[in-house]
Amino acid sequence: MTSVDHAHALLPDSAEFAALLAEIGAGASDRDRNDENPFDQVIALKRAGFGALRLPERFGGPGLTVPQLFSTIIDVARADPIVAHIFRTHFWFVEERLRTADEPTSQAWLAKVAEGKTFGNAFSEKGANAVGSLVFNTRLLPADGGYRLDGEKFYSTGTLFSDYLTVAATTDHDSVATVVVPADRTGVRLIDDWDGFGQRRTGTGTTVFSDVAVAPDELLSDSPYDAEPEPTVQYASLQLFIHAVVAGILESVVDDGVALLRSRERSFSHAVAERPTEDPLLQRQLGEIASTAFIARAAVLDAAAAIGAATDSQTATGVPDADLATEAQLKVAKVKVHLDAVAPEAATRLLELGGASASSRTRNLDRHWRNIRTITLHNPVGLKARAIGQNLLHGTALPANAYF
């Protein structure tokens, strides 16, 4: 297991962290083309203290603000969106523990985060239940003074690379419980079977739990299905993470666009300039792609600031101001609706900067479109846009689920 060397923990604005991201980025295209898991790169970020960036000093971290964290996530995604995506559930877990940081249980888990431990996701299941339903086939039942966990999960993003797994299950009294178990505990099986055409090596596969022992202090929550939801921005943060990855990919698209044009020595006989770098049409297209990337980062950071404001308004019980929470949720939803429209197009227009040679498997430029399109499919943009419109017209509350 990996632990943070606090003497060598890297701040995001340091030259050392920039060098680490450059090293991660240098191999990103080859890893994607060769379908390789980025174990070494994830370990390097763990050791650099990436997973502990939000911890305040009293818990052993640098105490980054929410916007500072999301700016760093964009930077990591620019280097490698696969590596960035792996940490998505981890940062949600950290925010949830910070929300209840006065509780001894949360403090114990935050100490693990400070040590460099990371937390993966085992929530979703295949089957007939609606996506996002709180009814699970995975069961948590009393046994031996604790519990036993049995079931099968899918879309377990980051689990393959994590030290601990957060698992949602149905209890013997038909409530929903969340537990945390070590990834290497007896009875836990991680299956690397995610077969998406993009974001391929995020460990988003099957996780099987067979008679897994769960201690009482590993139970995080146990709530009735029909419990009245509290105002929260933790799920908005979980969604904004996806958009931050897209923003990072767009910045990588710009990087590759510059390199692609500079690598070209000839153009078409009917082009308006002899060299592609001097062609005003290609210059304009590159500028438009760069503008899309710029607005993507700005929009993500604006929504992150709204999440930060709501987070700062939280009461001692971890409940934020309802109006600030709603504002943050709406901003995050609007970021998705916009990026879903412009990001895939930008990745497509990158290929037009190089013509047929841009389709070379060696260049692997299609990975940007594949990664963007895959990660934008996490929730339907049409339903997000409709929820925004309903709120504007009728003041309709946003759905109380993990997609907002």
Side-chain angles (χ1 to χ4, degrees), residues 58-346:
R58 68 188 177 107
F59 289 121
L64 262 63
T65 65
V66 174
Q68 286 172 328
L69 172 66
F70 274 93
S71 181
T72 307
I73 292 167
I74 293 171
D75 293 340
V76 175
R78 180 180 186 175
D80 189 336
I82 310 302
V83 173
H85 192 181
I86 286 167
F87 287 86
R88 181 183 175 223
T89 303
H90 170 80
F91 283 110
W92 167 82
F93 180 87
V94 172
E95 291 299 319
E96 278 291 285
R97 305 289 74 75
L98 289 174
R99 188 168 68 90
T100 54
D102 290 335
E103 298 178 4
T105 300
S106 289
Q107 291 175 9
W109 289 117
L110 290 172
K112 296 289 186 184
V113 173
E115 292 171 7
K117 307 304 183 186
T118 54
F119 296 77
N121 147 46
F123 291 123
S124 299
E125 297 179 355
K126 293 181 177 179
N129 290 331
V131 176
S133 168
L134 294 180
V135 178
F136 298 103
N137 293 318
T138 299
R139 303 288 288 184
L140 182 73
L141 302 177
D144 305 323
Y147 307 92
R148 289 283 168 171
L149 182 68
D150 288 276
E152 183 174 305
K153 299 291 187 174
F154 197 61
Y155 299 118
S156 308
T157 302
T159 295
L160 192 66
F161 306 86
S162 299
D163 301 290
Y164 292 89
L165 314 181
T166 52
V167 191
T170 296
T171 70
D172 62 330
H173 47 282
D174 290 332
S175 64
V176 58
T178 302
V179 300
V180 183
V181 296
D184 59 356
R185 178 162 290 173
T186 301
V188 176
R189 185 157 60 102
L190 309 178
I191 305 172
D192 193 10
D193 58 350
W194 164 243
D195 64 349
F197 61 68
Q199 296 297 107
R200 292 188 300 197
R201 294 289 109 202
T202 55
T204 307
T206 299
T207 306
V208 180
F209 302 93
S210 302
D211 199 29
V212 177
V214 179
D217 63 357
E218 293 173 332
L219 176 66
L220 288 181
S221 64
D222 184 1
S223 304
Y225 291 129
D226 57 355
E228 187 71 23
E230 297 176 337
T232 180
V233 288
Q234 309 315 319
Y235 294 138
S237 183
L238 193 65
Q239 296 305 315
L240 189 62
F241 197 104
I242 290 174
H243 315 327
V245 173
V246 172
I249 296 172
L250 287 172
E251 292 189 351
S252 186
V253 166
V254 177
D255 295 336
D256 280 351
V258 172
L260 179 60
L261 281 177
R262 287 176 175 170
S263 72
R264 292 182 59 187
E265 296 182 352
R266 64 174 187 164
S267 191
F268 291 96
S269 56
H270 56 288
V272 298
E274 183 176 343
R275 295 187 62 82
T277 54
E278 304 304 322
D279 189 323
L281 298 180
L282 296 178
Q283 291 171 345
R284 173 181 175 176
Q285 185 150 319
L286 178 62
E288 290 173 344
I289 294 171
S291 299
T292 298
F294 171 79
I295 294 300
R297 176 182 278 267
V300 168
L301 295 185
D302 182 73
I307 290 175
T311 300
D312 291 342
S313 74
Q314 288 175 164
T315 65
T317 58
V319 178
D321 177 86
D323 290 337
L324 291 177
T326 297
E327 180 183 1
Q329 290 174 303
L330 284 168
K331 284 192 172 185
V332 173
K334 291 172 185 176
V335 172
K336 175 183 171 57
V337 172
H338 179 63
L339 289 189
D340 274 25
V342 300
E345 179 185 3

Side-chain angles (χ1 to χ4, degrees), residues 4-53:
V4 175
D5 180 351
H6 291 285
H8 296 91
L10 305 179
L11 292 175
D13 58 355
S14 68
E16 292 83 2
F17 192 77
L20 173 59
L21 293 189
E23 183 178 346
I24 291 172
S29 179
D30 287 342
R31 286 191 297 275
D32 177 271
R33 186 172 62 251
N34 299 326
D35 214 18
E36 298 173 354
N37 280 315
F39 286 113
D40 291 343
Q41 291 69 34
V42 171
I43 289 172
L45 279 174
K46 286 185 183 183
R47 288 177 174 163
F50 178 58
L53 289 178

